[in-house]
Amino acid sequence: MIKQTGIVILAAGNSSRLGLPKQLLEFEGETLLRRISREALAIPNAKVSVVIGAYPDPINTALKDSNVAVVINPHWTTGMSTSIGVGLRDLLKHHPNLDRCIISLCDQPFVDRHVFQQLIQLADSTDKGIVATGFSGIWGAPVLFDRKYFEHLMCLEGQQGAKKVAEQFPEDRVVFSYEDAKYDIDTQDDYFNLPHQFISVQQAKDIIHHHLPAPKQIQLPLEEALGYTLAQTVIAEQSIPAFPQSSMDGYAIRYSDKERELPVVDKIPAGTTVEKILTEGQAMRIYTGAPLPQGADTVVMQEKVDLSDANTIQIRDEALQLGDNVRPQGSEVQAHSIAMLTGTTLTPAAIGYLAGIGCRDVLVTAPPRIQLILTGDELKPIGTKLGYGEVYESNSYQLKAALQQQGILHVESRHVPDDRSQLQAALEHALDEADMVLLVGGVSVGDYDYVVDVAKAYGIKQRFHRIRQKPGKPLFFGTQNEKLVFGLPGNPSSALTCFYLYVAPALERMMQLPQRTRSIKTHTTHAYSKKPGLTHFLKARYDGHAVEPLHAQESYRLQSYAQANCLLILEEDSNGCAAGDEVFIHLLT
């Protein structure tokens, strides 16, 4: 006789450590709660009850059109025990002949119908009354309980969970080993550390951002620092200018003498190193940048005086004010004060300013060391004759150029054939030398697409593989300690799109470059049709008023990309756009 199985899914908590409802977190295209509910319903004849408490309205909305029974635990704040009791009583109320029940959580994204089936099969084959799930040397949820333990479960109190009952009967307990049950989500770190598959564009960006390493620093000569970000506040060692200085060609005077005819007793060119003294009733010829003589407090423009043959001047400047045309000592920067703050982008003007205050070297945020690995037997260097089935290797050229635009001038690249051992050797070398590795090609699911398997076998933790977008769906992202590994698609258009959308923003953050506004709204000049399911990034041209989708949108074609200055974004759930529709674009320049 077939035993009746119930499944209670516990989803009543408020996810205090996460900061938002974990039940509604997206994983591989649907919320965690919707996913586990769907997997539970896939068990033949299973009766499923979902226990909710916190966030009842959004959670009920998330389960709309689902066939699971939803029951509210009004006492969810007192602990998990009340949710177990509420869920089990609800099942027994509607299905009094239930033979066993699986207690499951909503935050284990890799628990699925196969796990539930294995628990059931193990219970049948061993005749054990308790079947737990084992992982990493421990055991826990989901746990199957025979009916004889229902009363024990409903008598749990406070924070006690189903494990409390399972621990009391070791002789009637068996463990099903399933290592991926170790993944559960209590914090944002837990969520971002999952090996995600087929995720949204925004999820991919969030995951990459979460795993970016702390910026590194490097000392550079000032003349090599253009475009970098200052990593240490610069303190002026001396006042600039170091002396009161004339700001133009004219005559140095005492302001109190401006109504008198003044003899010109000396001249002071820029570069004068001997301090002059101006006494009452005198003037001195002075030039732009020259030090003001002691006693002078004002400079009169040479065009505002009458110069006599006897070398005397009469001032004809009714608007003259005390201190005019004098650059005070320290007016650019005072000695021992802050000259430039951490985080400043070193523009030509910034470099000129630092040079002007005597700064020779600067501590900047270091650019990551990057290595390119191009994979594929079909790739041939330009300058050689193509044989049948061969193509010119172009990705290294466009990616190095794009990296140069990011301020990364020195990039090592190598071509590796479709061979696992050679790819592993190249990857090992690259990770020894680089902070970021860009693997190009071989990231899809074909028989000769080895990149993802080799990367994971070498200890690179997969953070995600495949994004719901076109082009660039097979994108891989992983980490090894603080080193980042991107697996870009081999099609040139896909590779470049993934670089602009994911690699370039990561580099900007790692180098602490100023964040640019890349996404803007505009109107499209032409219609474009698509099916929902993938975000489309179309090569397009923006003229400042509207955006025009270009021809040749195929992922292998670069001809239209060469004319594009933006990507037109058509969201995942859209059917495309009509001419004149408001759309978002991603600026490339």
Side-chain angles (χ1 to χ4, degrees), residues 458-472:
Y458 190 64
I460 294 167
K461 293 182 179 179
Q462 176 182 315
R463 302 307 180 184
F464 65 76
H465 181 208
R466 299 191 304 143
I467 303 178
R468 296 195 298 273
Q469 70 174 47
K470 181 180 180 180

Side-chain angles (χ1 to χ4, degrees), residues 174-216:
V174 67
V175 174
F176 161 61
S177 180
Y178 180 65
E179 195 63 23
D180 282 348
K182 67 184 177 184
Y183 293 105
D184 66 348
I185 301 170
D186 291 320
T187 66
Q188 289 197 16
D189 276 349
D190 294 336
Y191 178 70
F192 285 121
N193 285 327
L194 293 174
H196 292 265
Q197 292 272 10
F198 209 32
I199 60 177
S200 70
V201 169
Q202 188 58 51
Q203 278 182 294
K205 292 178 179 179
D206 291 342
I207 291 169
I208 292 169
H209 182 240
H210 180 80
H211 289 287
L212 293 181
K216 297 179 180 179

Side-chain angles (χ1 to χ4, degrees), residues 68-83:
V68 296
V70 178
V71 58
I72 295 178
N73 173 17
H75 307 294
W76 64 269
T77 57
T78 61
M80 184 183 294
S81 62
T82 58
S83 290

Side-chain angles (χ1 to χ4, degrees), residues 394 398 471 490-497 537 539 550-564:
S394 62
Q398 65 174 1
N491 278 323
S493 183
S494 299
L496 194 56
T497 296
F537 295 96
K539 293 163 277 191
L550 299 175
H551 68 291
Q553 293 294 335
E554 297 92 339
S555 60
Y556 73 95
R557 300 187 66 177
L558 281 177
Q559 185 188 86
S560 56
Y561 227 140
Q563 305 167 36

